[in-house]
Amino acid sequence: MDLAKLMEVPGVMAAFTYTDKGDLTGQLIKEGNELTPQVLDLLAHTCVANMAVATMEARGWEALTGQKGFEPLQGFSLVGLDWSAVVNGNCGVVVKNRDADYEVAFAAISACQA
């Protein structure tokens, strides 16, 4: 994963990778913002937890209703007041909301994984 390339995406404040358990394996943080490695570590664990819950909900919904197409999950965004996280696989970026293009961020993460 090329975190430096992800840092070039407009609005990106940080890029990070993590294990399936949420342990941070890599990070880059732009100077001048409030993000720290500790914040990214918590965010990585939050991403793993949210993906597990979303997967459970998707499987349950498909099983209960018979509707298909909710799985496999492709990633997600956690939207906050000032900044948000865009995640796919075990990689994510934190974007400043006022400067963010979520689709471009998601595409950049997906391209780095290919």
Side-chain angles (χ1 to χ4, degrees):
M1 181 61 55
D2 188 355
L3 295 180
K5 187 169 183 164
L6 292 176
M7 294 296 287
E8 297 172 6
V9 173
V12 169
M13 300 166 54
F16 60 102
T17 56
Y18 53 92
T19 67
D20 290 338
K21 291 184 177 184
D23 297 323
L24 210 54
T25 57
Q27 81 224 355
L28 288 176
I29 301 172
K30 281 189 181 172
E31 289 186 34
N33 68 60
E34 67 274 14
L35 296 173
T36 65
Q38 292 80 13
V39 169
L40 294 181
D41 181 67
L42 177 60
L43 182 56
H45 282 86
T46 301
C47 290
V48 169
N50 278 301
M51 187 59 94
V53 170
T55 298
M56 176 194 64
E57 291 172 338
R59 287 183 184 167
W61 186 256
E62 285 187 359
L64 188 64
T65 66
Q67 294 179 340
K68 301 295 179 197
F70 294 95
E71 285 194 286
L73 297 177
Q74 294 295 311
F76 60 93
S77 296
L78 297 170
V79 179
L81 296 176
D82 295 322
W83 52 268
S84 301
V86 180
V87 179
N88 187 15
N90 288 32
C91 182
V93 294
V94 179
V95 294
K96 189 171 289 215
N97 288 346
R98 70 172 184 246
D99 301 326
D101 184 328
Y102 299 97
E103 289 186 34
V104 168
F106 187 77
I109 295 168
S110 298
C112 281
Q113 292 180 345

